[in-house]
Amino acid sequence: MSAFLEIRNLSARLRDTGERVLRSVSLEVPVGAVQGLVGESGAGKSMIGRAVLGVLPKAVEIVEGEILLEGRDLLKAKPSERRRLIGTRTALIPQDPLTALNPSRRIGPQITDRLVDILGWEKARATARAAEILAEVDIPQPERVMRLYPHELSGGMRQRILIASAFAAEPKLIVADEPTTALDVTVQKQILHLISQMQARHGTALLFVTHDLGVVAKICDSLSVLYAGKVVEETTVQKFFAAPQHPYSAALLAATPRHTDAGASLEPVPRAVLDAVSAEIAADDASWRRHG
Amino acid sequence: MLDGRGAVKRRAGARLWLSGLWLALVVLAAVFAPLVSPQDPLAQDLMLGRLPPFWMPDHEPGFWLGTDSLGRDVLTRMIYGARVALVVALSAGVATCLIGTALGLVAGFYRGWADRIIGRLVDIWMAFPPVLFAILLIAVLGTGLSSVVIAIVVIDWTRFCRVVRAETLNQSQMDYVHSARVAGFTRLRTLVAEILPNVLPVIVALLTLEMGIAVIVEAILSFVNLSVSTDAPTWGGMIAEGRTSIYQAWWVLAFPLAALFLTVLSFAQFGEGLRDRFDPVLR
Ligand SMILES: Nc1ncnc2c1ncn2[C@@H]1O[C@H](COP(=O)(O)OP(=O)(O)O)[C@@H](O)[C@H]1O
Ligand SMILES: [Mg+2]
């Protein structure tokens, strides 16, 4: 099956220092598939998600590469065209449920605004749809909840609402940026299960950003391992957990607790492995500078 | 936890109502000045000079808070003075708020060159000592109420600009703003419909603070005779006159000073109270 989202040789850097934050990143998300994006904090996972959705921070600029959505390059599209493509085909499940809902607006309009203003639905249809999708993520009394403000709801409830909101317009691709990291461990499991369930039911492709390989094992079909803005390994989940190819991936896997042997001591990523990857990246940078 | 919140709420409530009550009184006095004033604000009668307030010996009925050295009724002049104070507070407050807020929103949300230009402008502006700046402006514009208002706006828009910019910047980095942009909303719509409601509590608090400041600035300029004409009753003018006879007739100074103090305090407290009340996160 062809890729719904394809990123080719995407490089980005900080405007002021010129420091590279993405190094020729390539990855694919096939239609309806779940692609994991794994790496330590600061590896550039969010940066990739934000580049796809067109919400990079002002401080970051894309130097080269292509982001193809259904074969159309978002980076070459006119702003209005890009906004339309992203707005109608993608959605975001953000990391922090505390800041992802607008604190001064009621839940209902935060879900329906987009359906009405961007997709041109009738108001009544949008409201009905919002209630329906909220019920689907097990929000009790959706009509009542739609009249509440975010601070009147628990973190778990808010994350459910964000998931519902992301699926409301039936997007083809959802970027989930560490959607469970900010939650309690018990809630994490439920939310993960919910995302997985919704994804399967709606056939939505998912770009799933996380630093937790345990989560990847549960939800993803394939994954890309990111280190310092570089994809060091791209493979299927099965192959990865059987035998990771890159030393850094292997070390990362060794550093992840198995759910079977809880309490087993964790190996930090060995110094030697980090040095090796850093050298690889330095060489890469050097050749990039020579050519660019 | 519950108790803590409850106590905060109660305090905020009392603050809001007390300050609101005083401001309402001032507004009513200003609006209905000709109806509620016991005397004519400009009428002089040297025979009635320096009458004490009603509870002291030798007071005259009808002159509740006494008279000044020219025999003008202190209470009446205070009531008319409230008009000047409120007109300045409203016009200067609102104009300052609109200009500062618009620039702050643009700088904090769009960043880039707009932010750099506005930021530089604010820096340059803040380098001038405000009182000197005000007197300079009045010297150029000439005395009078509109000059006072213009001077306040020209000097104080930076306060709004700085605070609103910081808060807008802060809000712009929240995930809900990203979500709105991903959904396909334009920048302008995101700014007005998503961010502005969250900056509004700060704007309201600043606006009332600014109104209080405007009242003080007008009083200071009246005090040094740079505001409205010398005859017209203003709190600052009354304080200036009262200062010369403080030992013979302290009331000429004390009552307008108290009114000024209470009004400025009430504006600030009212703003804080409103913010506590209407900020959905604190509510
Ligand atoms: N707003 C920003 N301005 C400048 N640099 C940033 C900004 N956000 C993140 N970065 C930098 O970009 C790199 C990648 O960040 P990010 O994508 O957020 O990492 P991750 O999501 O993998 O933890 C980091 O080195 C980080 O310091
Ligand atoms: Mg991140």
Side-chain angles (χ1 to χ4, degrees), chain A residues 50 53-55 58 83-84 86-88 90-92 94-97 99-105 109-110 113-115 117-118 149 151 162, chain B residues 5 109-112 171 173-187 189 193-199 279-283:
Chain A
R50 294 176 67 168
L53 299 174
V55 287
K58 287 262 161 62
R83 209 165 54 228
R84 198 184 55 77
I86 293 171
T88 52
T90 74
L92 168 70
Q95 171 166 4
D96 185 359
T99 69
L101 287 165
N102 190 333
S104 65
R105 306 188 61 211
Q110 297 199 47
D113 264 6
R114 165 186 202 182
L115 304 178
D117 296 346
I118 302 295
Y149 286 94
H151 71 274
L162 289 165
Chain B
R5 276 198 79 115
F109 184 65
Y110 291 97
R111 310 294 310 280
Q171 294 291 335
Q173 280 149 6
M174 302 273 178
D175 278 342
Y176 74 82
V177 176
H178 297 148
S179 297
R181 300 283 295 130
V182 170
F185 291 112
T186 59
R187 280 177 195 279
R189 191 269 183 199
E194 303 283 339
I195 294 180
L196 185 56
N198 289 295
V199 185
D279 193 328
V281 184
L282 296 175
R283 184 168 49 199

Side-chain angles (χ1 to χ4, degrees), chain A residues 14 19 21 39-48 50 57 59-60 177-178 209 226:
Chain A
L14 299 183
E19 184 196 338
V21 288
E40 292 165 277
S41 172
K45 308 182 294 290
S46 299
M47 222 43 94
I48 294 178
R50 294 176 67 168
V60 177
D177 191 349
E178 312 225 19
V209 170
L226 207 64

